[in-house]
Amino acid sequence: MAPGLQCGNRVKANAVTVLGARRAGSVFGPWAKQKEVHGYIVEVVGCGRGRKLKVKWDECDGVFILAPRALQLDDTASLEDSDEDTHSDTDAESDSESEDNLGVPEPAEEVESDLLKPHGTNWEVKPDGVVVDYFQGSQSMFKFIWDSENPDGHKNPYDYFCLMFPMSDVPDWIEKTNSRLSELKRRPLSTAEYFRFWGVILAISIGSEKNRRAYWMEESEGESARLFQPPAFGSRFGMGLRRFEDILRCLCFGDDDPTDRWGPIRPLIKALNRRRQEKVIPSYILVEDELMSSWISRKQDRTTDGIPHLTKIIRKPKGVGTEVKCIADGVTGIMLQLEVCEGKEAESRKKWSHLPSGTAQTLRLTEHWHNSERIVIGDSAFSSVTTAIECYKCGLFYTGVLKTASREYPRDYLNDTSKYTSRGDHICLTSTIDGCSLLHLDGRIRR
């Protein structure tokens, strides 16, 4: 680190430090780690230990904010300065040319203007904010579509379960399951027993036992016997452990396809999605997110044995298993669509795969409601400028949190925290791309 760096100083730094490993590798190739980039300081931000320096580099576009410890004075520039001093007989024109070669810092206003044009997209700062008109899009209210003649009558939880479950597919699923049970010389499955099996599955899903067979214990063990009643699923629900495991082993939703690793559950996902489309009219707000289905192998260790694609997300409470992208009604929270994350190869064959993954997933999850003028809300996994534009083209409005998808987004401009003096300060930016009006709010939310 060079002490006393000031605005206008020529500096140098490692390319990876400035651009990051991925971008530096794409620009400079395998020698990125040894490559030095040169530039000049255009602005000093802050003071003391929190001081940052804005540097415009010769080898790459844009202005980057770095800590002083990442920079060194450019010795090459000093040698050029001394060489010019020894040739005092040069005329004014040559002096100006040499001065240009040394790199005279541009005015801060021009640099700031460049930061508002990422990838050729023009963003405009609105210091006084913008006036947003009352939402003129969809005014849809949430509604169930009942089959009964008295849709407004009293409904119990079982009625809602039957409404949301793909009942028309149940006879075919029972027939396929019974075909497998007969191969094991087990008695056939009735419709009542089939739904009792699903009731047990739901009960297990909200339980806390680590071992599935523990739910059939008729007596509690250890110190907990004095405090808690045993689960006793066999006597309570009328289905023994052996019968439950036989049904689970033979459960079938469609024909076997050896080329489709997700084939065993794909018909179930499609049927659930179709049923929600038929029986639910969502409100004007749709919210997309992701969920995890935790995976533990038979040996109680987390391996890929038996699961087509394993996803690991550290920040999730149960971050090892199958990731599922989903969209729900923003008023009631009822799930509307599910999409299993099947891996890069499978994702590349899906619809809209030529777009960024978050954009493609958003368009697939909302496809049934395209041109409905609903509002879609998503987190940073889905959000990007491209997502907002593509949703607009499909007759939807998008609101989301932008973090990493920075294409056509003025991230370098917003990284300058000197614009915020106190908690609650914010900046409003607007832009228009392909007829889509974009509004971005960025502010200081931490102390």
Side-chain angles (χ1 to χ4, degrees):
M1 178 185 70
L5 291 175
Q6 298 178 355
C7 185
N9 287 152
R10 293 284 299 179
V11 292
K12 61 183 179 180
N14 182 267
V16 174
T17 303
V18 175
L19 300 175
R22 181 179 297 179
R23 186 173 176 185
S26 64
V27 175
F28 301 111
W31 305 105
K33 292 183 179 180
Q34 291 79 31
K35 176 68 176 178
E36 283 188 344
V37 292
H38 304 78
Y40 58 86
I41 300 173
V42 296
E43 186 179 348
V44 179
V45 180
C47 59
R49 297 182 62 182
R51 186 172 65 129
K52 302 288 185 181
L53 302 176
K54 286 186 178 181
V55 183
K56 186 171 181 63
W57 300 100
D58 302 335
E59 292 87 348
C60 47
D61 297 332
V63 175
F64 296 80
I65 300 176
L66 296 171
R69 64 176 178 273
L71 304 173
Q72 295 180 351
L73 277 174
D74 192 348
D75 298 333
T76 305
S78 300
L79 292 175
E80 291 178 358
D81 288 340
S82 61
D83 289 342
E84 287 183 6
D85 292 340
T86 60
H87 296 81
S88 58
D89 56 344
T90 55
D91 56 13
E93 183 177 355
S94 62
D95 287 341
S96 62
E97 292 176 355
S98 301
E99 194 176 61
D100 291 339
N101 291 334
L102 287 175
V104 178
E106 299 177 7
E109 291 80 2
E110 295 183 11
V111 175
E112 190 171 86
S113 177
D114 292 339
L115 296 179
L116 289 171
K117 298 178 181 179
H119 305 94
T121 301
N122 294 320
W123 287 85
E124 182 181 354
V125 180
K126 298 291 186 179
D128 299 326
V130 296
V131 177
V132 180
D133 296 332
Y134 180 76
F135 179 62
Q136 300 295 325
S138 172
Q139 302 296 321
S140 175
M141 302 297 291
F142 182 89
K143 182 180 179 180
F144 287 119
I145 301 177
W146 294 95
D147 296 327
S148 62
E149 297 180 358
N150 184 22
D152 298 327
H154 175 72
K155 300 293 188 300
N156 57 39
Y158 180 72
D159 293 327
Y160 285 100
F161 176 85
C162 293
L163 178 70
M164 307 300 282
F165 198 81
M167 304 298 290
S168 60
D169 296 275
V170 169
D172 182 54
W173 293 347
I174 292 178
E175 181 180 353
K176 294 180 182 300
T177 302
N178 282 334
S179 176
R180 293 187 176 184
L181 285 170
S182 64
E183 294 176 1
L184 298 178
K185 298 182 180 181
R186 302 291 191 269
R187 72 173 186 272
L189 182 68
S190 65
T191 302
E193 191 178 24
Y194 183 77
F195 284 109
R196 186 180 298 115
F197 167 83
W198 280 109
V200 173
I201 289 287
L202 293 175
I204 292 176
S205 70
I206 61 175
S208 59
E209 298 289 348
K210 296 181 179 180
N211 190 330
R212 185 176 65 211
R213 296 188 175 187
Y215 289 101
W216 275 265
M217 293 178 58
E218 296 294 334
E219 295 181 1
S220 299
E221 297 178 353
E223 295 294 329
S224 62
R226 295 185 295 177
L227 298 174
F228 303 104
Q229 294 293 328
F233 275 20
S235 58
R236 291 173 60 196
F237 300 141
M239 178 173 288
L241 173 61
R242 180 174 296 180
R243 180 59 174 172
F244 174 84
E245 291 184 339
D246 286 341
I247 297 173
L248 184 64
R249 186 182 302 113
C250 298
L251 194 64
C252 183
F253 303 104
D255 299 327
D256 292 334
D257 183 358
T259 63
D260 186 1
R261 300 186 66 189
W262 292 96
I265 67 163
R266 195 180 301 281
L268 174 63
I269 299 297
K270 287 184 176 180
L272 289 171
N273 289 341
R274 184 187 68 248
R275 185 70 173 181
R276 302 300 170 101
Q277 294 173 5
E278 296 171 349
K279 298 301 179 182
V280 176
I281 299 177
S283 66
Y284 66 97
I285 298 178
L286 305 175
V287 181
E288 57 183 353
D289 206 340
E290 64 272 347
L291 57 87
M292 290 293 295
S293 177
S294 180
W295 170 259
I296 300 178
S297 70
R298 293 179 179 177
K299 298 178 182 179
Q300 295 294 314
D301 60 341
R302 298 184 183 276
T303 67
T304 57
D305 180 25
I307 186 170
H309 177 71
L310 188 69
T311 302
K312 297 181 180 180
I313 304 178
I314 298 177
R315 67 180 183 275
K316 297 292 185 182
K318 295 183 178 180
V320 179
T322 299
E323 183 182 10
V324 181
K325 302 294 183 180
C326 54
I327 193 164
D329 176 69
V331 174
T332 63
I334 291 178
M335 204 76 72
L336 301 173
Q337 295 287 287
L338 302 174
E339 180 181 302
V340 177
C341 296
E342 305 176 20
K344 289 185 179 181
E345 183 179 351
E347 295 293 321
S348 65
R349 297 191 295 267
K350 293 183 179 180
K351 196 173 183 180
W352 290 295
S353 60
H354 63 284
L355 295 171
S357 60
T359 304
Q361 290 162 353
T362 299
L363 295 181
R364 290 194 293 266
L365 289 171
T366 60
E367 184 175 9
H368 185 68
W369 299 282
H370 284 181
N371 299 312
S372 66
E373 296 188 339
R374 284 179 166 85
I375 299 173
V376 181
I377 300 176
D379 62 10
S380 61
F382 304 92
S383 299
S384 66
V385 173
T386 303
T387 300
I389 295 172
E390 293 300 326
C391 282
Y392 179 77
K393 292 179 181 178
C394 294
L396 298 170
F397 301 99
Y398 189 84
T399 299
V401 179
L402 263 173
K403 290 183 180 179
T404 56
S406 59
R407 181 164 184 82
E408 297 183 298
Y409 165 68
R411 181 177 61 179
D412 292 335
Y413 175 83
L414 297 170
N415 280 342
D416 181 7
T417 57
S418 64
K419 298 180 178 65
Y420 314 117
T421 58
S422 61
R423 187 177 185 182
D425 287 352
H426 62 275
I427 295 175
C428 178
L429 303 174
T430 61
S431 181
T432 302
I433 305 176
D434 295 340
C436 175
S437 297
L438 303 173
L439 171 64
H440 176 76
L441 288 176
D442 186 89
R444 180 176 179 179
I445 58 176
R446 296 186 178 93
R447 294 185 181 276

